[in-house]
Amino acid sequence: PPYWRTWWWYLGWLVVMVASGVWLYRNRLQRIRQHEQYLAERVKQQTQEILSQKNRADMQRVLAERARNDIGRLSEVGLQITASLDVKCILDTLYAHVFGLIDATTIGVGFVDWDNRQINFDYCMQGEQRILPYARSLDAPEQPASQCVLQGKELIIDDIAHDSSRLDVIMAQKMGMNVTALENGGRTEDSRSGIYVPIMHGGRVMGVLGVLSLRRNAFGQNELNILRTLATYVAVAYDNAEAYRR
């Protein structure tokens, strides 16, 4: 008989049909699995997007609430600062509240002595420890406080390159010491980041308000806004105190 009527011909076609059926089944199964995987990834992605949006919304609510609280607290602090005509009382009030508003380790207010071209930091705090009086020279451009005063601009320094506890060369020679120190005799911390805001009144730079942290990149726009507001209160209070003293 012709080969297409032989048993092995029929067997061959049977094998081909079975193989084709198996291939189609596996191909269909693979497509179903791929589609299921795609759907699972889409569900996961959409779930993450929803959670991310929820987290952002929650964070925005937290930040908004924090901002409202900060504004309220700043208003109260401002009233207390500007109510005094004594510089030490002004700074006492400032230091009593600032650590609750900004996560910093050191805060200092320096007032400019233009005749001697220096910034006098007579009352600064490292945590609960008072720092002994020291000064920064306006002729030491590497000093952030000097840059802030001379330029009349705010500075955010994410990574302080020099040892912040050391005095500049000019003031070290003038004061006879190389580093700042605490009242208890200890050495001040070598801070890693900071914010410096000029204290200005009527377009005149009167001093500088600065905060420092042991962490790099510790401060952002929120801390700058708070410090800017506090510097304004200090400027008004200091100007009133000087006018009263005169």
Side-chain angles (χ1 to χ4, degrees):
Y3 67 88
W4 62 83
R5 290 186 177 179
T6 59
W7 66 268
W8 52 266
W9 174 260
Y10 292 117
L11 180 61
W13 272 107
L14 180 61
V15 171
V16 170
M17 292 175 65
V18 171
S20 298
V22 171
W23 179 83
L24 289 173
Y25 171 76
R26 289 183 175 178
N27 186 57
R28 176 63 176 168
L29 186 61
Q30 183 179 5
R31 289 186 178 183
I32 291 174
R33 288 175 177 172
Q34 288 176 346
H35 186 64
E36 289 177 346
Q37 184 176 1
Y38 168 76
L39 290 177
E41 289 295 328
R42 286 291 298 164
V43 170
K44 181 179 179 181
Q45 181 180 356
Q46 291 175 356
T47 301
Q48 289 177 343
E49 289 176 356
I50 293 172
L51 290 175
S52 178
Q53 292 173 358
K54 182 178 183 299
N55 289 338
R56 284 198 296 269
D58 290 342
M59 181 59 68
Q60 289 174 353
R61 282 195 294 271
V62 170
L63 292 177
E65 183 65 26
R66 183 182 300 172
R68 285 193 294 270
N69 291 337
D70 287 345
I71 291 173
R73 293 174 65 184
L74 282 171
S75 298
E76 294 177 6
V77 174
L79 289 174
Q80 295 178 34
I81 289 176
T82 55
S84 177
L85 295 174
D86 179 77
V87 174
K88 185 178 182 303
C89 289
I90 293 170
L91 297 183
D92 280 338
T93 303
L94 174 67
Y95 295 160
H97 294 281
V98 73
F99 288 118
L101 292 166
I102 298 178
D103 184 14
T105 55
T106 300
I107 178 173
V109 173
F111 293 105
V112 185
D113 180 349
W114 291 105
D115 293 333
N116 292 307
R117 293 193 58 77
Q118 66 188 50
I119 309 169
N120 297 318
F121 291 88
D122 293 329
Y123 187 13
C124 301
M125 298 293 292
Q126 178 180 294
E128 296 181 355
Q129 293 289 330
R130 183 170 176 176
I131 300 174
L132 291 175
Y134 67 96
R136 300 289 192 194
S137 173
L138 291 176
D139 296 314
E142 77 281 359
Q143 294 295 328
S146 302
Q147 296 174 31
C148 179
V149 167
L150 293 174
Q151 299 173 14
K153 294 181 179 180
E154 303 158 347
L155 297 176
I156 296 181
I157 303 178
D158 294 326
D159 189 0
I160 299 175
H162 63 279
D163 185 345
S164 63
S165 66
R166 299 189 66 85
L167 296 177
D168 58 80
V169 175
I170 297 173
M171 294 313 305
Q173 293 177 349
K174 184 181 292 188
M175 301 183 69
M177 61 183 192
N178 295 317
V179 296
T180 56
L182 302 173
E183 273 191 337
N184 63 7
R187 180 174 171 175
T188 57
E189 299 168 337
D190 178 16
S191 302
R192 295 292 73 196
S193 61
I195 302 180
Y196 297 84
V197 176
I199 299 173
M200 303 179 66
H201 188 71
R204 177 173 59 97
V205 179
M206 307 163 65
V208 58
L209 170 59
V211 293
L212 299 171
S213 172
L214 295 176
R215 297 181 292 110
R216 290 179 173 85
N217 304 298
F219 306 113
Q221 189 62 44
N222 183 57
E223 288 79 12
L224 177 59
N225 291 339
I226 292 173
L227 213 63
R228 182 188 297 133
T229 302
L230 292 174
T232 301
Y233 291 142
V234 172
V236 172
Y238 184 74
D239 185 68
N240 291 338
E242 286 296 288
Y244 178 78
R245 185 177 62 83
R246 289 193 296 267

